[in-house]
Structures are given as C-alpha cells and as structure tokens.
Amino acid sequence: MSIETDVRALLAGYAPLTALVSTRIAQNAVPASAAYPLVVYTVAHQPEHGLDNTVLADQATVQLQCWAQTAADADAVADAVAAAVLTAPAAAGATITGRAGVFDEDLGLDGTQLTLEWWA
C-alpha cells in the first residue's frame, strides 16, 4: 500500500470523522458540485537515501484541508482528522506539525488546513 492509500484508509476508518463527512474524503481535488463538509489531501514525498542511493525510508508531508460552510464546522472536521491521526500505526510516525485557518473567496467556504508528517 502507498502512503496515499494508508492515509485515506485511516481517515475513512475513523467513525467520528465519517459521521461528519461521510465518504467525502478525496485525494488531490474534489468535484465543483461536492457537498460539504469534506476533507481533501495532497501528499509530497521526500525519500531518505542511503550512501549507495537505496531508498531507506519515505517521509511524506500530507496537506489535509477540511472544508465546510463555517469556520466552526471546518474546525470540528479538523479536530476529528487530528484524532484519527492519533490512531495511526506507530511505525508511520504520524504527527500533525501545523494547523491554519483558510478561506476560499470564490466558494465562500471556510477551511482548516493540517500538515501531517508520515513515514513509510
């Protein structure tokens, strides 16, 4: 499995989060007609190489955006995402390293963005 798949499985398997967003957890983008609240995430990989150039580990930075009609609802989704991350396998070293509020003027939506570090 990939980090992308592992992150999605972790989020989709966490009942308090799915109670808020149902199955609206997407990688990279969501359709313009999507219902809210939802979670969309992107993953950037930074492989760790050994001296012989073999990949020893894959450190990934996952940007998780939690979107909703209000800032309070976006924060509630982000809180559920953060709680889901606490259930990740220890080997993933999953850690939330940042949190920020965001706003999409075009859609009139509030969001909360979480930065997650994940190792594989």
Side-chain angles (χ1 to χ4, degrees), residues 3 6 11 15 19-20 33 37 41 44 46-47 49-50 57 64-65 71-72 82 87 99 114:
I3 291 173
D6 290 345
L11 298 178
L20 297 171
S33 62
Y41 66 96
Q46 301 90 27
H49 293 90
L64 297 138
Q65 293 184 345
T87 69
R99 183 176 179 134
L114 300 173

Side-chain angles (χ1 to χ4, degrees), residues 13-42:
Y14 190 68
L17 176 60
T18 58
L20 297 171
V21 301
S22 184
T23 60
R24 296 183 302 273
I25 301 168
Q27 183 182 346
N28 297 329
V30 294
S33 62
Y36 293 90
L38 60 78
V39 177
V40 62
Y41 66 96
T42 60

Side-chain angles (χ1 to χ4, degrees), residues 1-114:
M1 290 181 37
S2 68
I3 291 173
E4 290 82 354
T5 304
D6 290 345
V7 168
R8 181 160 199 319
L10 179 76
L11 298 178
Y14 190 68
L17 176 60
T18 58
L20 297 171
V21 301
S22 184
T23 60
R24 296 183 302 273
I25 301 168
Q27 183 182 346
N28 297 329
V30 294
S33 62
Y36 293 90
L38 60 78
V39 177
V40 62
Y41 66 96
T42 60
V43 181
H45 295 269
Q46 301 90 27
E48 296 290 325
H49 293 90
L51 293 175
D52 62 354
N53 209 31
T54 58
V55 176
L56 302 175
D58 183 12
Q59 178 190 11
T61 301
V62 183
Q63 295 295 330
L64 297 138
Q65 293 184 345
C66 306
W67 291 101
Q69 299 293 333
T70 68
D73 288 345
D75 281 340
V77 173
D79 290 344
V81 168
V85 168
L86 293 175
T87 69
T95 305
I96 301 285
T97 61
R99 183 176 179 134
V102 294
F103 183 74
D104 186 312
E105 269 187 50
D106 294 335
L107 298 175
L109 295 172
D110 286 288
T112 302
Q113 180 171 301
L114 300 173

